[in-house]
Amino acid sequence: MPVATPAQYRAMLDAAQKGGYAYPAINVTSITTINGALRAFAEAKSDGIIQVSTGGGEFASGTSVKDAAFGAIVLAEACHLLAEKYDILVALHTDHCHPAKVEGFLKPLLQASRERIAAGKGPLFQSHMFDGSVVDLKENLEISKELLKECAELDIILEVEAGCVGGEEDGHDTSGLPADKLYTTPDDMVQVYEALSPIGRFLFAATFGNVHGSYKPGAVKLKPSILRDGQKAVMDKHGAAAEMDLVFHGGSGTSESDLRETLDYGVVKMNIDTDTQYAFTRPIVTHICQNIEGVLKIDNEVGDKKTYDPRSYLKKAEAGLCERMKEACNDLLSAGKTIFGTV
């Protein structure tokens, strides 16, 4: 089954850490975006991560329902079925969940996994993100420890964040934060490791100037050396085995040199959303512009059903997303490195 088991997901992360590459983690909102992601991973012969945000879950539940957890369950169950057609592994993950949304989003998803496991299946999601960057580090870690205990009981990995990713995503706007809040310190990383490593496996989204959204080259000042220094502080104190699995958020517009440098410092997962949103939407716009009379029934004409049939442009959107995801696999050096069939 190409949706990774917990053991296979751990093996994926271990392989990336050992091999110096990272998995693209794409936010999905629909069957079409799931299919585009799966096709991309398969064509690139790369394993990968498919994730759902609170806003993506809410959208998927329907505009009259607006239930983020329910929509996330719908997308995850669809992914479990669709992934069976591909010879690569994917892990399912949920993106930023702030403290205020834990009870309404994260806890119901953990319960869904609990029920699946009781029925003899694996967890619904293989990992979840708790984003406690909106509170101080002490409170962040206290909540993270409790959530990690619950996740570990279900063989689920927890992703945590210390420091803030700038910009705006899913209605959460940190664009007004002072610059120093965008950089995790070595002491922060040591505290995270010491608080969480005794409990279970976790991913850590350390911040090094990351900003959500799309920017021209040079607008975002990344400092990948922060990851290097933080990992060194952890390993100097606790040994080489303490190297953490890091996550890169807000990577749109990152230079190839900066991106590749982060791989040297333990990044095994990179979120990609803004760029794939554009890659999905651009072919739709082109289709509309090239078929404007058929789509809009101009001057009381009847139009052309073939051009306003949603399938005609959503196929192109899926293909556009697929091409951008294959580019991400190449950039992150995961292409050609699937461990499907070996674990």
Side-chain angles (χ1 to χ4, degrees):
M1 178 169 298
V3 168
T5 64
Q8 288 171 327
Y9 187 30
R10 291 192 297 269
M12 282 172 57
L13 298 175
D14 290 343
Q17 188 68 263
K18 183 179 179 180
Y21 60 94
Y23 298 108
I26 176 174
N27 284 40
V28 298
T29 56
S30 64
I31 297 292
T32 308
T33 50
I34 291 172
N35 281 330
L38 289 170
R39 175 181 167 186
F41 290 134
E43 291 184 3
K45 294 181 172 56
S46 168
D47 299 323
I49 298 171
I50 290 177
Q51 58 191 27
V52 183
S53 67
T54 55
E58 182 178 292
F59 173 79
S61 74
T63 54
S64 65
V65 177
K66 296 184 178 180
D67 184 329
F70 177 70
I73 291 170
V74 170
L75 291 174
E77 291 288 6
C79 214
H80 275 272
L81 291 171
L82 292 167
E84 292 179 1
K85 299 293 185 180
Y86 298 88
D87 292 337
I88 43 88
L89 291 173
V90 291
L92 304 185
H93 178 80
T94 55
D95 205 5
H96 296 270
C97 178
H98 297 104
K101 295 187 177 182
V102 167
E103 291 300 322
F105 184 69
L106 193 50
K107 290 296 183 76
L109 296 181
L110 291 174
Q111 180 58 29
S113 283
R114 192 172 290 109
E115 292 169 3
R116 262 181 139 260
I117 292 168
K121 304 176 182 178
L124 183 62
F125 287 90
Q126 287 66 59
S127 57
H128 294 288
M129 182 186 183
F130 168 64
D131 183 353
S133 63
V134 295
V135 298
D136 63 52
L137 185 59
K138 181 179 178 181
E139 183 179 354
N140 182 350
L141 290 178
E142 287 303 313
I143 300 171
S144 295
K145 286 191 291 186
E146 291 303 312
L147 289 173
L148 183 52
K149 288 176 187 175
E150 194 169 349
C151 286
E153 291 172 357
L154 300 170
D155 220 356
I156 291 171
I157 294 171
L158 184 70
E159 179 184 332
V160 299
E161 180 177 315
C164 288
V165 177
E168 188 275 334
E169 184 176 63
D170 262 359
H172 182 67
D173 191 348
T174 58
S175 56
L177 284 175
D180 63 343
K181 294 293 185 182
L182 302 180
Y183 301 97
T184 303
T185 68
D187 183 61
D188 291 339
M189 292 181 71
V190 170
Q191 288 188 60
V192 168
Y193 177 81
E194 292 179 344
L196 300 182
S197 61
I199 302 172
R201 187 154 186 175
F202 65 94
L203 298 161
F204 181 42
T207 57
F208 51 104
N210 328 47
V211 180
H212 287 133
S214 185
Y215 300 87
K216 291 183 179 180
V220 177
K221 305 298 183 183
L222 291 178
K223 296 181 181 179
S225 60
I226 284 176
L227 305 182
R228 176 199 65 201
D229 296 344
Q231 290 277 39
K232 183 177 185 301
V234 171
M235 291 189 287
D236 282 351
K237 189 172 182 180
H238 296 283
E243 183 176 18
M244 290 191 283
D245 295 325
L246 301 182
V247 181
F248 186 166
H249 287 249
S252 297
T254 302
S255 69
E256 183 177 292
S257 60
D258 277 350
L259 192 156
R260 295 282 173 83
E261 186 180 354
T262 69
L263 304 182
D264 295 334
Y265 306 144
V267 166
V268 295
K269 171 179 179 279
M270 178 176 169
N271 288 14
I272 178 166
D273 187 25
T274 301
D275 288 350
T276 49
Q277 287 177 344
Y278 181 80
F280 184 86
T281 301
R282 180 56 195 259
I284 297 175
V285 174
T286 300
H287 174 92
I288 299 298
C289 290
Q290 291 177 344
N291 298 282
I292 193 71
E293 293 186 2
V295 170
L296 293 185
K297 298 185 179 181
I298 293 173
D299 295 331
N300 296 317
E301 291 295 330
V302 297
D304 181 357
K305 184 180 185 300
K306 291 181 180 179
T307 63
Y308 60 76
D309 180 338
R311 292 170 294 183
S312 64
Y313 50 83
L314 289 178
K315 288 177 184 177
K316 297 174 182 178
E318 178 186 314
L321 182 150
C322 173
E323 289 305 309
R324 182 61 185 84
M325 282 300 296
K326 289 196 291 185
E327 182 182 329
C329 292
N330 288 323
D331 289 344
L332 294 172
L333 306 179
S334 69
K337 295 175 180 172
T338 179
I339 62 171
F340 177 76
T342 66
V343 292

